[in-house]
Amino acid sequence: MPKKKISIEDVAQRAKVSITTVSRVINNVPTVSDKNRAKVEEAIAALKFKPNVSAQRLARGVNNAIGLVMPGYPGIFHSYYAIELIRGVGHACETHRMDMVFHITDGNNPINSNNVDGIIFADIIENRKQVDAAMAGGTPVLIINNRVDDMEINYVAIDNFEGGRIVAEYLTGFGHERIATITGKLTTQSGHHRFEGFKQYLESHNGGIPPQYVIEGDYSRRSARLAAEDFLKLDERPTAIFAASDDMALEAIAVLLEKGLRVPEDISVIGFDDNPACLFGPVALTTVRQPLFQMAEQAVKVLVDAINKKNEGHVQQVLTPEIVVRETCCPPQK
Amino acid sequence: MPKKKISIEDVAQRAKVSITTVSRVINNVPTVSDKNRAKVEEAIAALKFKPNVSAQRLARGVNNAIGLVMPGYPGIFHSYYAIELIRGVGHACETHRMDMVFHITDGNNPINSNNVDGIIFADIIENRKQVDAAMAGGTPVLIINNRVDDMEINYVAIDNFEGGRIVAEYLTGFGHERIATITGKLTTQSGHHRFEGFKQYLESHNGGIPPQYVIEGDYSRRSARLAAEDFLKLDERPTAIFAASDDMALEAIAVLLEKGLRVPEDISVIGFDDNPACLFGPVALTTVRQPLFQMAEQAVKVLVDAINKKNEGHVQQVLTPEIVVRETCCPPQK
DNA sequence: CTGAAAGCGCTAACAA
DNA sequence: TTGTTAGCGCTTTCAG
């Protein structure tokens, strides 16, 4: 610390009390006389005293910090998802008076857990061994945005399966029968689950989904563009398209408009994410909102409880997404 | 820390050396015999010893952490800029073996600087008093992405003025004479500087820029859409458009394509940012690359030097952006 | 309600 | 090359 070295002792001296008393007022311990408290507060203000965080942590045996580690593969940072997570975790840490130590990883080096009380892994892409290592070291760990049902581990995730299902339900509710989808990358859990939920609903309510109506995307705009173009070449064009992300939905809409089609009159489109960009296109995008921010806050809460050993075993939570109705879906026009 | 309490002393005992020796091998002090080093390393491994970070920091009198504070106004997180900054700062912190404690602020509460050795303020939007407070407290501070020439303060920023200038130069180099611009929010420094550099070049090389060719945007896609539509209503349409961000450029292109125009044959478009989204549109966007990542790394370096008192006075650096040629600019077609 | 004193785990003179 | 020892600044029994 580059601060001048005013310690608790200087404050005690000036206030003519013991350092214990000073410590007490710092920590809001009630058993301090008003008179002494006032004196100490005066001294603290006069001396501009700031407690030394490291000393506090050492004495308390706590780090007062949680780590947030995110996979660093290209692109993750340009997703709405990552940003909301960071915001949410940051906010929650604030309310828990914890430092948030942020860490981007390539998945290789083990995460240093000496400086934190617990770690939140945002998704686990190729870095499961980091999770294992942290757990082996005895550090409380939580995975966010990924369900890991085969392991005894804390997680908080979105129910992407349900997300896909409600989209199918919503679209068939309008009377659509030719419903296509541009999926997310199917090797990701989100992509896989969204598609499965979607497909299974259609199978039991719409006679299934023909293969030419399913194109695997990878969450990139380019993949959506290609997929949309392919759909338009079909003899029987779909009347509705479900894109597994807003970015893809927006790109699909761009393609449709370029070809002179109308959205939603000619083709309905629905996305997934509730990315703010939804509002800024030519038509406000109907989509599925994932409670990302809340997920992050919830994650911190669970982890903090785990750190304080307030949990029994591990806690696994799934949050439910919901449809946000805007302007890009309507009944199929005859 | 929830770890079992294996301290340096346990290691010393097992290795049959003093704790000093253990400390020395932890810190890679060369003056340790190979034999002892080996013994200590064995003990560390066997005991799974992890040094207590708080104790180290206390003893060393450092926090070994730098703060990154970002304004939390809606939207900033959806900008490419913010993300690259976080990535860059995170990466640089890693190499300096510093924790990066991340903080989103609404500009009101003073930033807690007890737990860090220095603070990087990413931009300063409505939170200059936080900067002042931190400095008053004696904490080394650096501002990133904002030139503050009227203050004795460290900063590392992009030369947005130059960025605007090279765009104008590039476009006139093709022979364009009817050049329009959708500016960024002019109350932001970036928006203002980009426009000024652009305008001044045109004034001295193209006879200036007519008012109907300047529309103030606010970096949102919507503002770009409106602006592009307005340009198309003009009797003398521009043959080139400079948008002060890639997002806006992309939206402008979308409008042009929707109206059946070709890019770049009918209208050239150039953006600013080198957002990855440039590559994913219908045409790869020509743009201006800001060295955001390097700026962030540079910022950490300067700040760390400041913390170690290696700087004389304050250091103010400006990095130069450059044009990235892709497919959306060409000479005007007769 | 207050204070003395024993640590928390580690680093860094200083001696040897 | 090694070890002794005095802190780093704060929390927390334990007596009073």
Side-chain angles (χ1 to χ4, degrees), chain A residues 18 20-21 24 32-33 36 58:
Chain A
S18 72
T20 310
T21 299
R24 288 200 179 100
V32 177
S33 67
N36 272 349
L58 174 58

Side-chain angles (χ1 to χ4, degrees), chain B residues 238-252:
Chain B
T239 59
I241 298 176
F242 164 40
S245 81
D246 286 342
D247 261 353
M248 293 201 298
L250 258 12
E251 189 69 16

